[in-house]
Amino acid sequence: MTALHGALVARIARTGPISVADYMTECLLHPTHGYYTTRDPLGAAGDFTTAPEISQMFGEMIGLWLAQVWMDQGAPEEFALVELGPGRGTLMADALRATARVPGFHAGLRLHLVEASPALRARQEAALQGHEVTFHDHPASLPDLPTYLIANEFFDALPIRQFQRAKTGWHERMIGVVDGQLAWGLAPEAPVEALADRVADTHEGQVVEWNASAQALAADFGNRIEALGGAALILDYGDEVSIGDTLQAVRGHAPVDALASPGATDLTAHVAFGPLASASRARASRLTPQGVFLERLGITARAEALAAKLQGAALDSHIAAHRRLTHPSEMGTLFKVLALTPTHCPAPPGLEPA
């Protein structure tokens, strides 16, 4: 039993079953028992590994992409370079190193990180020594500047609600208590206005996930980018639309029961990119597999250049990292890329207009 388990059981006893969104929020962001607020979850000693931790090439490609978009938009003299959920700061550190020789880029950037975890903020400051960093609890406090934004594996951790299709409406999946343990249940059938368009492409018993906070953020980013300039680059696992139960819990790099140890496991769900694109006033790119995107940016040429200086186990590890990031059977197809850019600006490199 975790400390948060007892708190959730007590809450449900007082007020009734809670939604999946409420459960995820408590598990991930509870101020004293939340997963992200109490630990560094990354790396071999943690629970999962993200693309920037696999190879420096990932952050380098992203950094050069941002610099090219900045130049294509006239190289504004002052701009916000933003990352949402920056992990250990590895991606941003690699991006800044790759762009160090781009004339005017570092002089103009103002570095802003949106991070809820005190433990990870300390790691990010260490990784980004020599750069002035402004931290934010929420994107709403970002400055009114052209904004070039990275969100790598950020949207998958935003809280979802789950709905199971009924005959004419939807049952919301809820979490209650049975014999002192957290357990799944269904709310009574009811219409859900936000899912009115999903009745035609689902059948009775299927689960659909709805992420209101993700759509609201995409709308805010789109409004900001359309008005001020910039770009948002969203990289995550998921697809165009939500279908099926994709909530997953990970601990020690292995899947576990999502209800078993609240606050001690990472909880995520696949991202539905279509609603993010349609929520934005800015122009959305065509959804593109991560492997295709990285290949278009030149990751293989970069991999070959780095490989020329390696041998033995280091070379083997490098080759495996390139494969993991790009191959269809690994991260290359499961992970997708979506960009938001102003409607009056050129299409971003590596991506096609929707």
Side-chain angles (χ1 to χ4, degrees):
M1 295 291 181
T2 62
L4 186 56
H5 180 279
L8 288 169
V9 168
R11 172 183 170 176
I12 292 168
R14 290 193 309 270
T15 63
I18 60 175
S19 68
V20 178
D22 286 343
Y23 180 71
M24 288 184 71
T25 300
E26 290 292 293
C27 289
L28 298 178
L29 297 175
H30 189 281
T32 54
H33 305 307
Y35 181 78
Y36 289 137
T37 55
T38 57
R39 72 198 70 212
D40 175 356
L42 293 162
D47 294 319
F48 59 89
T49 300
T50 59
E53 307 294 331
I54 294 170
S55 170
Q56 69 184 66
M57 296 183 292
F58 185 81
E60 291 172 348
M61 295 295 106
I62 301 306
L64 294 172
W65 183 91
L66 289 165
Q68 185 62 59
V69 173
W70 171 76
M71 289 188 290
D72 289 345
Q73 295 182 8
E77 291 185 4
E78 184 179 10
F79 63 95
L81 180 59
V82 179
E83 187 174 0
L84 308 182
R88 292 176 171 174
T90 305
L91 190 160
M92 185 58 74
D94 290 338
L96 290 172
R97 186 184 63 254
T99 56
R101 296 184 180 181
V102 177
F105 189 72
H106 281 216
L109 71 84
R110 306 295 178 260
L111 187 55
H112 295 266
L113 303 182
V114 179
E115 179 56 69
S117 167
L120 288 175
R121 282 190 180 190
R123 297 296 298 266
Q124 292 154 14
E125 284 187 315
L128 296 167
Q129 284 185 357
H131 298 278
E132 183 177 343
V133 181
T134 301
F135 286 101
H136 300 261
D137 294 322
H138 191 275
S141 60
L142 290 170
D144 291 335
L145 291 171
T147 300
Y148 297 84
L149 180 147
I150 313 163
N152 179 61
E153 291 197 55
F154 175 82
F155 280 87
D156 63 270
L158 296 180
I160 59 163
R161 293 171 68 185
Q162 291 186 326
F163 295 88
Q164 183 174 307
R165 172 76 187 282
K167 287 185 178 180
T168 58
W170 303 87
H171 296 286
E172 183 163 11
R173 295 191 79 204
M174 307 292 284
I175 296 164
V177 176
V178 176
D179 297 329
Q181 300 298 316
L182 299 174
W184 291 103
L186 294 175
E189 179 180 347
V192 179
E193 184 178 353
L195 299 180
D197 63 338
R198 299 306 309 276
V199 174
D201 68 349
T202 56
H203 57 73
E204 191 172 350
Q206 281 190 311
V207 171
V208 168
E209 295 169 344
W210 177 41
N211 196 326
S213 56
Q215 292 179 47
L217 277 177
D220 288 346
F221 297 152
N223 292 343
R224 167 186 289 271
I225 289 165
E226 185 66 16
L228 301 173
L233 186 67
I234 302 169
L235 307 100
D236 225 312
Y237 49 89
D239 218 322
E240 192 73 34
V241 297
S242 162
I243 193 72
D245 173 11
T246 72
L247 181 69
Q248 56 189 2
V250 173
R251 189 173 190 179
H253 299 268
V256 294
D257 184 344
L259 302 185
S261 301
T265 58
D266 182 42
L267 294 176
T268 61
H270 285 205
V271 175
F273 286 90
L276 303 187
S278 61
S280 169
R281 279 181 54 212
R283 180 177 56 196
S285 69
R286 180 176 297 175
L287 191 61
T288 302
Q290 175 178 289
V292 172
F293 174 67
L294 293 175
E295 291 292 358
R296 288 174 177 173
L297 296 186
I299 194 172
T300 294
R302 177 59 173 155
E304 290 170 348
L306 291 172
K309 304 174 184 178
L310 302 173
Q311 56 185 344
L315 178 58
D316 292 340
S317 177
H318 173 66
I319 293 170
H322 176 262
R323 176 184 171 84
R324 186 171 178 189
L325 290 173
T326 61
H327 197 275
S329 67
E330 301 207 31
M331 297 175 73
T333 297
L334 174 63
F335 281 72
K336 308 292 195 307
V337 182
L338 177 75
L340 305 177
T341 52
T343 53
H344 61 279
C345 291
L351 298 169
E352 301 169 354

